[in-house]
Amino acid sequence: MNSTTALDILAKKGYKITDKREKIAQIFWKNNRFLSARAVHNVMKVDSPSLSLDTVYRNIRLFEELGILEATELNREKHYRFTCTDHHHPLICIHCGTVKKVDICPMDHLFDLPEGFLVTGHKFEIYGHCSDCHS
């Protein structure tokens, strides 16, 4: 996902492409990691000092509802990044939010699911410190 694709999804769903929504999409594209709404707000306040945190939250929730952003919880706060299109599981740095991909899937090793249970999705994340934050 990139910022252009994100804005295309908004437009196709009938939502206006506002300056704020463009800026949010650009912030996620440029950072390519999990970010809190507060972090996005801090970046946007430089150019828009009167921007409310609630406005950022509302737009991020919309992006999440439309599948543009995916969320995880770090330090008891939701963090977001662009939704990935390929199947993988992330190693997430709990300090800076960077993500590394793990290409194996633990679901491949589950054999004894209860009879009649149909798996429709799953989520597996590994948390720790990246090499930059570990030192």
Side-chain angles (χ1 to χ4, degrees):
M1 175 95 49
N2 60 39
S3 56
T4 303
T5 304
L7 297 174
D8 286 346
I9 291 169
L10 280 169
K12 286 177 185 171
K13 295 289 184 174
Y15 292 95
K16 290 182 183 178
I17 306 302
T18 65
D19 291 344
K20 289 173 183 66
R21 290 176 179 160
E22 281 187 66
K23 183 68 174 176
I24 289 170
Q26 290 168 1
I27 290 168
F28 281 104
W29 174 246
K30 288 178 184 174
N31 284 277
N32 193 29
R33 62 188 173 101
F34 279 101
L35 298 168
S36 67
R38 189 171 308 281
V40 173
H41 181 247
N42 287 340
V43 171
M44 293 180 72
K45 274 183 25 178
V46 172
D47 294 328
S48 303
S50 63
L51 177 69
S52 74
L53 180 57
D54 190 51
T55 297
V56 174
Y57 271 115
R58 273 195 315 275
N59 281 290
I60 285 178
R61 278 194 301 270
L62 173 63
F63 279 41
E64 184 181 16
E65 288 171 16
L66 296 177
I68 295 167
L69 295 177
E70 60 186 5
T72 193
E73 189 171 314
L74 297 173
N75 303 317
R76 291 176 274 202
E77 182 180 16
K78 277 182 99 172
H79 285 64
Y80 307 86
R81 72 172 180 159
F82 274 139
T83 300
C84 292
T85 55
D86 62 329
H87 181 78
H88 69 276
H89 297 283
L91 296 169
I92 304 168
C93 179
I94 60 174
H95 180 69
C96 70
T98 58
V99 177
K100 300 289 183 194
K101 293 180 181 182
V102 174
D103 292 321
I104 60 169
C105 178
M107 290 298 292
D108 294 339
H109 305 286
L110 291 178
F111 300 108
D112 294 328
L113 293 174
E115 186 177 328
F117 188 83
L118 175 65
V119 176
T120 59
H122 67 278
K123 186 174 184 177
F124 181 73
E125 300 173 332
I126 303 167
Y127 302 95
H129 296 277
C130 68
S131 56
D132 291 336
C133 295
H134 183 326
S135 328

